[in-house]
Amino acid sequence: MKKYFGEFGGVYVPESFTPILQELEEAYEEAKNDPQFQEEFHSYLKDYVGRPSPLSYARRISEDIGCRVYLKREDLNHTGAHKINNTIGQILLARRMGKTRVIAETGAGQHGVATATVCAMMGMECEIYMGKLDVERQFLNVLRMELLGATVHLVEEGSQTLKDAMNEAFRDWLANVQTTHYLIGSVAGPHPYPTIVRDFQSVIGYETREQILARENRLPDYMIACVGGGSNAMGFFYPFLEDEQVHLIGVEAGGLGIEVGKHAATLNFGTPGVLHGSKTKVLLDTYGQVMPVHSISAGLDYPGVGPEVAYLHSIGRLEASFVTDDEAMQGLIYLSRNEGIIPALESSHAVGYLLKHRNRFKDSDVVVVNVSGRGDKDMNTVYDYLKKKGGW
């Protein structure tokens, strides 16, 4: 298993973490080559998650934009997002390793909900770390986690968002490693996490490939996904990396605007650095400190990106773009009113890109947008946004 993707990746952690990560890598190598493990994983994806998720033709948007637009419907998964794919895989891995307790970090709350869900299913103790700011704007998901039996720890340090929640989860893991599995939600963190999460999420891309070939008898011209840490994007893109004719576009959070510095567009404006145990692209200030970031979407409010995502961008295989909070909200309203699908604010960034760059696409183009989650969790944020803006 590769520890590095070009210059990015690796294991930048205190020495005390080394045996923990080696144990995890060995367990995963055995599991991924075990037909029984794979059969059980895919059985849960089918019978519990509800996969395959549909690939929906967006008729009205296609007519408006002027190309053929498809939507990969991860919003229809059990728990409402792509996060459940990875948590199913990792809970089976945790059980295989003999762990009885699971911890996780969460920003938008969808990973927390998915982790609490699989822990309830497996009868494991579950504790979730979540920044105070994210708790306030994603309170519905906090209630869901608690209903599922999880304990939610409020993190009041730093920016009180995803980065700080991840810091606290690492501290917990080191103190309780004998019984505890840290179920990281994105393609971030030290090796082997970026590979493990990518592999479990790649079901998105493999399904998309089969579905688009059945519908169009060819591969898409463009694939568009939002990028925070990058788990939905890597799962979506990974089975297409060797298909150079497929243009991959990752859309980051432009926040309140690049010029004011309140954004989370790491691929676009970050520099190589170390964050949460791996070398990747990070938003750093002139002193080399991690910068505060902002996004209307709690799931994209992260100052780094997965190392494989950074690598793909560095070699030109992945195009990086960004849309602002306002443009993401326009994307949410556009998809809601044209297709009757209310996307998560994370996914709305991908839709916002499609709308913002509509003149880029030809009538012969086939475009697939990953709708990584549904928007129920974001209705309070939408309400507050519209209240400030004076309505629709």
Side-chain angles (χ1 to χ4, degrees):
M1 192 189 303
K2 291 195 304 183
K3 291 185 179 180
Y4 283 89
F5 308 96
E7 68 172 301
F8 301 108
V11 184
Y12 293 81
V13 295
E15 189 176 348
S16 51
F17 275 103
T18 303
I20 306 171
L21 293 168
Q22 286 177 341
E23 178 194 20
L24 178 61
E25 181 177 4
E26 290 168 5
Y28 178 65
E29 285 282 9
E30 290 178 2
K32 78 174 185 178
N33 293 310
D34 182 348
Q36 187 173 352
F37 178 90
Q38 292 297 330
E39 182 181 356
E40 186 175 17
F41 172 56
H42 287 284
S43 175
Y44 275 113
L45 291 181
K46 178 179 180 290
D47 297 328
Y48 190 74
V49 177
R51 303 204 71 93
S53 65
L55 185 70
S56 300
Y57 179 63
R59 180 183 59 82
R60 294 191 65 208
I61 288 179
S62 296
E63 291 172 355
D64 181 56
I65 299 292
C67 61
R68 295 182 64 77
V69 179
Y70 288 87
L71 308 172
K72 182 56 174 165
R73 300 293 306 281
E74 293 299 289
D75 59 308
L76 294 179
N77 291 339
H78 178 44
T79 72
H82 70 290
K83 293 294 187 180
I84 191 72
N85 305 320
N86 171 51
T87 61
I88 290 284
Q90 285 203 50
I91 200 73
L92 295 176
L93 188 59
R95 186 188 66 183
R96 185 185 183 99
M97 296 169 68
K99 307 300 182 181
T100 57
R101 177 176 178 264
V102 169
I103 60 171
E105 85 297 328
T106 194
Q110 285 301 115
H111 176 59
V113 169
T115 301
T117 297
V118 298
C119 285
M121 178 184 70
M122 290 291 181
M124 288 193 189
E125 182 183 352
C126 180
E127 299 191 37
I128 308 292
Y129 289 90
M130 191 171 186
K132 181 181 178 183
L133 177 61
D134 292 338
V135 166
E136 291 169 354
R137 57 182 172 176
Q138 298 291 335
F139 190 65
L140 175 61
N141 273 343
V142 176
L143 292 177
R144 294 170 75 195
M145 286 181 255
E146 292 177 339
L147 179 61
L148 289 159
T151 300
V152 180
H153 296 285
L154 192 72
V155 179
E156 300 187 74
E157 295 182 357
S159 61
Q160 302 178 353
T161 56
L162 181 59
K163 171 180 70 71
D164 310 288
M166 201 165 185
N167 290 341
E168 289 301 314
F170 269 114
R171 293 188 187 107
D172 182 316
W173 192 29
L174 184 58
N176 300 284
V177 65
Q178 295 302 319
T179 61
T180 300
H181 174 65
Y182 179 14
L183 206 163
I184 289 181
S186 196
V187 287
H191 174 80
Y193 276 107
T195 299
I196 290 173
V197 179
R198 179 203 69 198
D199 287 354
F200 286 141
Q201 290 292 3
S202 65
V203 64
I204 306 171
Y206 286 115
E207 284 180 6
T208 301
R209 188 182 187 89
E210 182 178 342
Q211 291 165 328
I212 199 66
L213 286 171
R215 298 288 288 274
E216 294 285 340
N217 200 32
R218 69 179 182 92
L219 297 178
D221 298 286
Y222 296 90
M223 297 178 69
I224 307 171
C226 66
V227 174
S231 66
N232 93 91
M234 276 309 309
F236 187 46
F237 295 150
Y238 183 64
F240 294 86
L241 293 184
E242 302 303 317
D243 303 296
E244 296 289 340
Q245 73 273 30
V246 180
H247 202 85
L248 309 177
I249 303 173
V251 186
E252 298 187 299
L256 298 178
I258 301 305
E259 65 282 352
V260 297
K262 294 185 177 181
H263 62 85
T266 310
L267 288 175
N268 287 274
F269 301 102
T271 54
V274 174
L275 180 66
H276 292 138
S278 69
K279 183 179 180 182
T280 184
K281 292 194 76 175
V282 187
L283 288 169
L284 302 174
D285 63 20
T286 54
Y287 297 99
Q289 299 299 309
V290 177
M291 291 175 58
V293 293
H294 165 80
S295 173
I296 195 170
S297 160
L300 302 185
D301 200 353
Y302 185 64
V305 69
E308 188 171 12
V309 184
Y311 167 68
L312 293 173
H313 178 248
S314 73
I315 63 171
R317 184 65 189 95
L318 171 64
E319 177 185 343
S321 188
F322 61 87
V323 301
T324 64
D325 289 351
D326 288 343
E327 291 164 342
M329 191 63 69
Q330 290 167 14
L332 184 148
I333 295 168
Y334 180 72
L335 185 57
S336 300
R337 294 190 168 180
N338 282 282
E339 298 293 342
I341 299 168
I342 302 174
L345 277 168
E346 291 80 16
S347 313
S348 300
H349 284 70
V351 181
Y353 176 91
L354 181 71
L355 191 57
K356 180 179 180 179
H357 297 279
R358 58 188 300 153
N359 293 332
R360 176 176 188 171
F361 306 107
K362 307 187 299 292
D363 58 3
S364 60
D365 284 337
V366 173
V367 180
V368 184
V369 178
N370 193 22
V371 182
S372 56
R374 67 178 186 236
D376 309 38
K377 67 184 178 61
D378 294 315
M379 289 303 99
N380 286 340
T381 303
V382 172
Y383 174 78
D384 291 342
Y385 174 90
L386 293 173
K387 190 176 180 180
K388 288 179 183 177
K389 294 288 184 178
W392 299 105

